Amino acid sequence: MESLKHMRHDSFAKTLESAGFNLISQKDITENMLPSLEKLHRLGKLPYFFVDFLKLNEYFINVTAGVEVYGLARKGLFKYRIFTARKPHVK
């Protein structure tokens, strides 16, 4: 999750384009992911309580992400997107 500090909602498309890709489409599928995120949130709540209390988040990153990403996604601060891009052939 270290890379999340550097990602913004509009930055990945710009990164693709700066790497020479032509962006064909992007689709926000966050709403489709919310049921799965909610399940991970529910399953991880109890272990997360202890992990967070003991300040062990960096060692239990999946539990931490499972709980925290759900809240961020519901607030619109974390999004799941599908990008389709093509890199032109260079001769």
Side-chain angles (χ1 to χ4, degrees):
M1 297 209 4
E2 185 65 28
S3 64
L4 291 178
K5 295 177 192 175
H6 309 289
M7 297 299 287
R8 300 288 181 259
H9 294 309
D10 61 347
S11 68
F12 191 68
K14 292 174 185 172
T15 301
L16 283 172
E17 290 170 355
S18 69
F21 286 89
N22 295 325
L23 186 61
I24 296 171
S25 69
Q26 60 178 306
K27 182 177 180 182
D28 186 345
I29 62 163
T30 306
E31 287 297 318
N32 301 56
M33 294 298 298
L34 282 176
S36 294
L37 293 174
E38 183 179 14
K39 186 173 184 178
L40 288 172
H41 176 79
R42 276 187 280 118
L43 292 171
K45 267 179 150 174
L46 182 62
Y48 177 76
F49 173 80
F50 294 105
V51 166
D52 196 47
F53 179 76
L54 297 170
K55 307 293 184 215
L56 298 172
N57 302 73
E58 67 182 281
Y59 303 106
F60 294 90
I61 193 66
N62 289 336
V63 170
T64 301
V67 173
E68 293 185 4
V69 167
Y70 174 69
L72 295 172
R74 283 187 49 102
K75 293 176 185 175
L77 300 173
F78 191 95
K79 295 183 184 270
Y80 279 87
R81 290 188 172 171
I82 296 173
F83 291 85
T84 305
R86 202 172 260 138
K87 194 161 192 173
H89 295 287
V90 179
K91 292 182 181 185

